[in-house]
Each structure stands twice: as structure tokens, then as C-alpha cells.
Amino acid sequence: MKYLLLNIVLFFIVLDTVKGQDLILTNKGDSIECKIKKVTFEYVYYSGRQPGEIEQVKIPAAEVKFYEKNYYVSKGSVSKTRTITNHTYDKFSIGAYGGFSYLIAKISSQVPADFRQYMKELKSGYHFGGDVTYYLSRRTGVGLKYNNFKTSNEANVTSTSPSGQRNNGVMRDDITIQYIAPVLASRQFSVNNKTIFHTGFSLGYLDYTNNATLVEQVTISGNTVGVGLDLGLESKLSKILGLEFKLGMIAGSLGKIEKSQGGKIETVTLEKEQRENLSRVDVSIGLKRHF
């Protein structure tokens, strides 16, 4: 009777061990029979199932092809209702976005009081753009971005000539600021891979054009180095498509401009207090396509 009870106990211990056995398959084709403790976007934590293997260890998620808990129902058989979680990552993405923008530079104290409201309204605008990113690893990538900002305003003004004659006319500004730059990108995944937090740092070319009118037409243009920072939160709509909400900032200022008026082009170097600050904040919504 003692031997019978002992055999029954051993049978259930072995059965529990087999049923509780999990499987990890690596990208190299190695199989790890173990007990999975925890899974994050960076690591799969597990403990060994062999005698003496009780210490918890971890393997980078990027090296795991798939894993499954309770993989073996009985020795040599495979679960019919297994759930496989892939840890491969998308290596390429294309994004398109647009939204609201606001120029953050202070209005110069030299601007007359009558024109300050006009300048405030000129601060608000819109932008659109896109980016492409190639990921060197699950979390880090390099890419290229393009951003086009536009704002305009118009008002009827009255000017006084040196002789004292008052003239009515139109004052108008139609501003376009384009930014193109390489990007260093990074991303963090949620545990279920449904949400991705993106960051991007860029350094590139900032181009400014203002087709202005102050009684006469004049085009003001210039270019400089710009710096960009983006923070985005993406919600996956499907395996390949995501909806992203993004907050961005682009900074730069012009130290030299060109004025084109009546067929004449004049280059003007701006003093420190006269520099044209192009810095702004962007709030965007867009789509990302993953490959």
C-alpha cells in the first residue's frame, strides 16, 4: 500500500511538472523548456525546469521568436489552443501628419501698438509633413522628416508719406517655413505592444519665405540651421497601421535675410536684437504605416 501511495504521489508530481512546462524558441532555433515568470517588451524572465535550475534568468525579447505557456499538455504532444506572441519588430515606418502650430517668439517692442494685434494673429498657423524611419534595433532608428508651416494675415492700413499725405492700402504677410532634417528616433513599447511612445531628435535645414505687401509687394527670404524635438504616442489600429498624437518643437532664428522688391534684391544682416525667431510648437495627429 505504501508503494502504491508513493507511486500515485510521484505520478501527480510528474504530471504537474509536464503540464506546467513552458517553451521559449529563440531566433537561432534553440528550444528552452522552462517556467516563464514574466514577459516585458525588453526581456522574457524564466526559471529552469531541470533539477537544480531554480534561479530566475532572462533573455532579450528581441532574441525570442515566440514563447508559449503550458506548451506541453503531455510528453511529446502540443497544445491545440496555444497562443504565440511574436517579438520580431517592424524595421521600417512611414508617417504622415498635420495640425496646429504656434510661433513662440515675443513680439518686438519696436512694433507700433496699432499693429500688435495683427502680429499676434500671425503667430498661429498650421503645418503638415511626413517622416520615414529605419530601425537599427527594436528601440533605435534613423530617418528623415519634412515639415511645412504656413500662416498668413491681412489688414487695411493707412500710411503717411513724408509730405504728410495719407494713403490707404493693404498690409499682408504670407509666411511659409519649411524644415527638412535627418532624425535620430527611439521608441518604447507597452507590454502588449499596442501602444508605442516615440521620441525624435533632428538637426537640419530651415527655410523661410514671406510674400509680403505693405503698399508694395516684397518677398523676404532666408535660411538657417534648425533643431527639432518630437514626442509621440501611437495607438496601433492594426498590425501595420497606427494612429499617432504628437507634440513637437522646431527652433531656429535668421541672422541674414534677402529682400526682393521691384526687381531689386537686397541682403540685410540682422543685429542680435533684430534676428527673426522662427521657433514654434506643433500639435499633430497622423498615421503611421509599419513594414
Side-chain angles (χ1 to χ4, degrees), residues 2 22 27 54 80 84 101 103 106 116 118 132 148 154-155 164 180 185 189 218 220 235 255:
K2 289 183 179 180
D22 306 329
N27 292 326
I54 57 175
K80 295 181 180 179
I84 297 175
S101 299
L103 294 166
K106 294 183 178 179
R116 296 187 72 83
Y118 177 90
V132 294
N148 190 312
E154 183 177 312
I180 183 167
F189 292 83
V218 57
I220 303 170
S235 177

Side-chain angles (χ1 to χ4, degrees), residues 21-27 30-48 55-70 83-88 138 190-191 193:
Q21 196 169 34
D22 306 329
L23 177 68
I24 296 175
L25 181 64
T26 70
N27 292 326
D30 297 327
S31 299
I32 304 174
E33 297 176 1
C34 59
K35 185 64 178 178
I36 296 173
K37 299 296 185 181
K38 183 173 66 172
V39 179
T40 70
F41 64 87
E42 288 186 294
Y43 296 102
V44 176
Y45 296 85
Y46 67 93
S47 60
E55 184 179 355
Q56 181 170 287
V57 292
K58 63 183 180 181
I59 181 174
E63 297 179 9
V64 177
K65 186 174 183 180
F66 73 81
Y67 71 87
E68 184 184 352
K69 293 187 176 182
N70 299 322
T83 300
I84 297 175
T85 302
N86 291 307
H87 286 277
T88 57
R138 181 174 170 83
S190 64
V191 175
N193 292 323

Side-chain angles (χ1 to χ4, degrees), residues 4-289:
L4 178 60
L5 290 175
L6 181 60
N7 288 331
I8 292 174
V9 171
L10 290 175
F11 172 78
F12 280 106
I13 290 175
V14 172
L15 182 62
D16 179 70
T17 300
V18 172
K19 285 188 175 181
Q21 196 169 34
D22 306 329
L23 177 68
I24 296 175
L25 181 64
T26 70
N27 292 326
K28 295 180 179 180
D30 297 327
S31 299
I32 304 174
E33 297 176 1
C34 59
K35 185 64 178 178
I36 296 173
K37 299 296 185 181
K38 183 173 66 172
V39 179
T40 70
F41 64 87
E42 288 186 294
Y43 296 102
V44 176
Y45 296 85
Y46 67 93
S47 60
R49 299 292 293 176
Q50 301 301 322
E53 295 184 17
I54 57 175
E55 184 179 355
Q56 181 170 287
V57 292
K58 63 183 180 181
I59 181 174
E63 297 179 9
V64 177
K65 186 174 183 180
F66 73 81
Y67 71 87
E68 184 184 352
K69 293 187 176 182
N70 299 322
Y71 186 85
Y72 297 98
V73 174
S74 60
K75 189 175 181 180
S77 65
V78 179
S79 167
K80 295 181 180 179
T81 57
R82 60 180 179 170
T83 300
I84 297 175
T85 302
N86 291 307
H87 286 277
T88 57
Y89 59 90
D90 300 318
K91 293 188 176 182
F92 189 72
S93 71
I94 299 177
Y97 55 85
F100 172 79
S101 299
Y102 185 79
L103 294 166
I104 60 176
K106 294 183 178 179
I107 298 174
S108 172
S109 58
Q110 299 178 2
V111 175
D114 292 344
F115 297 109
R116 296 187 72 83
Q117 182 59 36
Y118 177 90
M119 297 301 295
K120 286 182 180 179
E121 295 172 358
L122 200 59
K123 283 175 167 289
S124 300
Y126 68 93
H127 71 275
F128 60 88
D131 54 54
V132 294
T133 307
Y134 176 76
Y135 287 94
L136 305 172
S137 67
R138 181 174 170 83
R139 296 175 58 183
T140 306
V142 292
L144 186 69
K145 71 173 292 181
Y146 171 77
N147 187 297
N148 190 312
F149 165 80
K150 288 183 176 292
T151 184
S152 61
N153 202 4
E154 183 177 312
N156 293 318
V157 297
T158 301
S159 61
T160 303
S161 66
S163 62
Q165 182 178 356
R166 296 172 64 85
N167 298 309
N168 295 321
V170 174
M171 180 173 68
R172 177 173 175 80
D173 288 273
D174 188 355
I175 297 173
T176 299
I177 303 175
Q178 299 183 84
Y179 179 60
I180 183 167
V183 180
L184 178 62
S186 67
R187 58 184 178 180
Q188 296 281 351
F189 292 83
S190 64
V191 175
N192 62 5
N193 292 323
K194 297 292 186 181
T195 303
I196 309 172
F197 179 68
H198 295 275
T199 60
F201 175 78
S202 58
L203 178 68
Y205 175 78
L206 200 56
D207 181 81
Y208 172 89
T209 302
N210 183 5
N211 294 312
T213 301
L214 184 55
V215 182
E216 296 183 3
Q217 291 185 349
V218 57
T219 298
I220 303 170
S221 60
N223 55 76
T224 186
V225 175
V227 178
L229 177 65
D230 293 298
L231 303 174
L233 188 65
E234 179 187 353
S235 177
K236 295 295 286 291
L237 302 176
S238 67
K239 185 177 179 180
I240 62 172
L241 193 65
L243 179 67
E244 183 180 22
F245 297 92
K246 184 160 59 175
L247 179 65
M249 182 177 180
I250 296 175
S253 64
L254 293 175
K256 183 185 293 185
I257 60 173
E258 281 189 354
K259 288 186 176 181
S260 177
Q261 185 175 15
K264 297 181 179 180
I265 299 177
E266 178 187 6
T267 300
V268 180
T269 299
L270 304 175
E271 300 296 333
K272 183 177 180 180
E273 62 276 5
Q274 296 176 321
R275 292 180 69 94
E276 186 73 27
N277 191 340
L278 309 181
S279 302
R280 71 175 194 271
V281 174
D282 294 338
V283 180
S284 315
I285 184 172
L287 293 173
K288 273 190 178 295
R289 171 69 161 85

